[in-house]
Amino acid sequence: MARVLVGVTGGIAAYKACELVRLLVRAGHEVVPLLTPGAERFVAAETFRALARSRAGAEPFPHLERADLLVVAPCSANTLAKLAAGLADNLVTETALAHAGLTLVAPTMNPRMWAHPATQANARVLRERGVEFAGPEEGDTAEGERGVGRMAEPEELLRRCALLLEGRTRLSGRRVLVTAGGTREPLDAVRFVGNRSSGRMGVALAAEAARRGGRVTLLAANLQVPAPADVELVETPTAADLERETLAHAPAADLVLMAAAVADYRPAHARSDKRPKDGAAWTVELEPTTDVLRALAEQPADGRVTVGFAAETGPGGAARAREKLEQKALDLIVVNDVSRADVGFDSPENEVVLIGRDRERAVARAPKEQIAAAVLDEAVRLLEERRG
Ligand code: CTP
């Protein structure tokens, strides 16, 4: 079951969106209808709520919750232009801006409006951004003209939704290894050298991979957030634990997502007791830990896809991340700027750049759950390229 947002804009075809909502609900999806004021001139919001079996005001901001798919049907010429420009002046356009996942639009308009270079340019912009189109189709329009401008039929839209959503469960049967959190390196029995990683990003990745049907093992280093229920959890509090478990689990994995902040240095001599306070300085020698990704790169990869993360500060971060991609033999590196206080460490949101060997993609600021979906979209694509 997926969560599908159905955005309905003003047009006579709005009544066909009722049928789409009914079909999606019947297919077992959770459907959230969202209407523009223009749409409400054609069909009452109450009709959609009844078909979607949702109560008015049940969730205060249903359009801002994570969703698998946004369908805009019918999508008027006006809304198409707003989507291309990034305007957010009603529930549907706001939703489109907040939604980082799959989007399907079903344009519906007078054939001359569809053929206009302005509309064609808007459609091109959206396609380049990864938005999927269904129709418009050729036929008679409501105003009695003939040409390309009719909305695709609800059954066709359902078929397209199913295809898009299927693409998101392409991890079924795959083994996924995720590392999350920040390691703590003991100084003595109670003190440690650690870092600020909460584990949110890795946990979001593990949850998303499990939702897509992956068999997920989560190596957890001192998580500050609850682990997802449907994953195998292995506690790896120190860099040495994480190294050992990663190297043990990776050979069976199809995909490795190395989101943990692994200590680069650990105290060379940890005390087994608690060091008493004596007024003297305490000098600690730190020794380097093993770089787990580098160690992994020395194992035979056998088609496995490995994704690393790079915590960078300031300009030049992307270039350093590209070097890490090479040095650590990664297939993809997820770069985030940890010098910013509003995203990244400790924050529920992130803003990243995905750097692969042949392409790069910036993912705008979004909740970590949506960032996780974008990372997995890319990782799954690489996995399928390699393993079919
Ligand atoms: N990593 C690792 N083993 C370590 C340190 C880091 O496998 N001992 C992994 C992290 O999980 C992450 C990636 O390497 O996926 C990048 O980590 P980062 O700390 O950003 O980069 P470093 O390679 O450690 O380089 P530097 O700290 O100099 O930027």
Side-chain angles (χ1 to χ4, degrees):
M1 188 188 91
R3 184 180 155 90
V4 184
L5 307 175
V6 178
V8 186
T9 74
I12 186 71
Y15 78 91
K16 286 198 199 172
C18 295
E19 179 62 4
L20 174 64
V21 169
R22 199 182 67 80
L23 291 172
L24 285 165
V25 169
R26 205 174 64 181
H29 301 304
E30 181 194 348
V31 181
V32 182
L34 306 163
L35 276 68
T36 62
E40 293 208 45
R41 286 193 287 119
F42 291 88
V43 186
E46 199 51 41
T47 307
F48 280 101
R49 274 201 293 271
L51 288 167
R53 301 174 192 164
S54 60
R55 281 181 297 116
E59 284 176 79
F61 303 108
H63 62 299
L64 297 180
E65 300 281 317
R66 192 203 59 75
D68 301 285
L69 174 63
L70 165 67
V71 189
V72 185
C75 182
S76 64
N78 190 35
T79 296
L80 197 78
K82 287 182 191 174
L83 296 180
L87 294 185
D89 63 345
N90 62 40
L91 198 53
V92 172
T93 49
E94 278 171 7
T95 303
L97 267 195
H99 175 70
L102 301 163
T103 305
L104 175 68
V105 297
T108 316
M109 64 197 75
N110 172 283
R112 279 171 286 140
M113 290 167 76
W114 173 249
H116 194 284
T119 306
Q120 289 300 311
N122 290 332
R124 209 162 35 247
V125 165
L126 290 170
R127 280 203 180 95
E128 277 166 13
R129 227 178 265 158
V131 170
E132 298 276 338
F133 277 67
E137 293 174 352
E138 192 171 356
D140 295 325
T141 65
E143 315 89 88
E145 284 185 41
R146 206 177 158 74
V148 178
R150 272 171 64 98
M151 186 171 104
E153 292 302 321
E155 290 75 15
E156 167 61 10
L157 292 177
L158 179 73
R159 194 186 66 82
R160 291 291 303 278
C161 290
L163 281 178
L164 286 169
L165 291 169
E166 218 173 82
R168 293 185 64 110
T169 53
R170 277 195 238 131
L171 273 175
S172 34
R174 310 271 202 195
R175 285 177 183 268
V176 184
L177 180 65
V178 184
T179 70
T183 63
R184 292 177 177 176
E185 310 305 321
L187 279 160
D188 68 6
V190 297
R191 303 178 179 96
F192 59 83
V193 178
N195 62 66
R196 284 172 43 212
S197 174
S198 63
R200 273 198 191 91
M201 191 64 237
V203 164
L205 285 162
E208 180 67 18
R211 219 175 48 75
R212 292 178 186 214
R215 289 163 65 191
V216 181
T217 301
L218 177 61
L219 305 187
N222 312 294
L223 297 183
Q224 307 297 304
V225 291
D230 40 5
V231 304
E232 182 201 356
L233 188 69
V234 181
E235 301 285 351
T236 52
T238 67
D241 296 328
L242 200 121
E243 176 193 350
R244 184 187 65 246
E245 296 299 328
T246 302
L247 296 180
H249 284 84
D254 298 289
L255 173 62
V256 175
L257 300 159
M258 196 72 185
V262 191
D264 290 325
Y265 295 92
R266 72 174 142 241
H269 310 286
R271 288 174 63 138
S272 54
D273 61 343
K274 179 178 176 236
R275 183 192 188 279
K277 180 169 62 184
D278 57 12
W282 182 3
T283 304
V284 177
E285 187 194 338
L286 298 176
E287 65 178 18
T289 59
T290 306
D291 190 303
V292 184
L293 280 177
R294 276 183 198 247
L296 203 56
E298 281 159 24
Q299 281 189 351
D302 190 27
R304 179 176 67 219
V305 168
T306 306
V307 180
F309 287 71
E312 302 292 349
T313 50
R320 282 194 297 276
R322 255 176 241 116
E323 277 171 29
K324 285 180 194 173
L325 185 81
E326 291 301 327
Q327 289 163 357
K328 302 193 184 198
L330 301 175
D331 300 290
L332 186 70
I333 191 155
V334 182
V335 193
N336 70 331
D337 185 346
V338 288
S339 61
R340 287 176 51 176
D342 54 340
V343 292
F345 268 138
D346 271 348
S347 159
E349 295 199 321
N350 214 348
E351 181 179 313
V352 301
V353 182
L354 309 182
I355 301 182
R357 296 196 163 262
D358 53 5
R359 62 181 201 172
E360 281 189 28
R361 181 180 158 203
V363 185
R365 180 175 170 172
K368 285 183 175 169
E369 290 72 21
Q370 286 182 18
I371 301 284
V375 171
L376 277 161
D377 284 344
E378 204 56 30
V380 169
R381 191 184 66 81
L382 291 169
L383 195 57
E384 284 178 350
E385 260 176 29
R386 198 163 294 174
R387 291 199 165 169

